[in-house]
Amino acid sequence: KFPLVTLFTIFIPLWLLGIINLGVFYQDTGLADRIGSISALMISFVALIPVIREALPPNPQITVVEVLVYLEILTTLLCFIESVIVRGNQ
């Protein structure tokens, strides 16, 4: 109905969270700070899902945008595991 509103409420926050997600892995902080940052990011990704559901027409099935959010969460977890393994080997 209003494509710009949908763009601003769904995709811009998703892109910004993705950029912040990349920034977390270039931090030179300890493991505890990184875990805190990642958990805050994951909570914000999960909090974005109801906003997406509210902005889209009612649909009982999972949407492509929600799949994108879940993939972002998965990449966050995988990058975290990889960074723990790399830092653990040093």
Side-chain angles (χ1 to χ4, degrees):
K1 190 172 174 179
F2 300 105
L4 284 178
V5 173
T6 304
L7 179 73
F8 289 136
T9 58
I10 294 176
F11 292 108
I12 302 274
L14 191 60
W15 292 334
L16 289 175
L17 285 173
I19 291 169
I20 292 170
N21 188 12
L22 290 174
V24 166
F25 297 105
Y26 291 110
Q27 289 180 352
D28 290 333
T29 60
L31 185 61
D33 293 334
R34 193 173 277 204
I35 289 172
S37 299
I38 289 170
S39 62
L41 269 172
M42 290 179 70
I43 289 171
S44 62
F45 278 125
V46 170
L48 187 61
I49 292 172
V51 173
I52 292 170
R53 280 284 184 180
E54 190 175 291
L56 296 176
N59 187 359
Q61 298 174 343
I62 191 166
T63 61
V64 175
V65 178
E66 289 176 357
V67 171
L68 288 174
V69 172
Y70 294 134
L71 287 175
E72 286 278 344
I73 292 171
L74 180 67
T75 58
T76 304
L77 284 174
L78 291 176
C79 289
F80 172 68
I81 291 169
E82 189 267 336
S83 68
V84 167
I85 291 171
V86 168
R87 288 188 182 210
N89 291 334
Q90 292 179 354

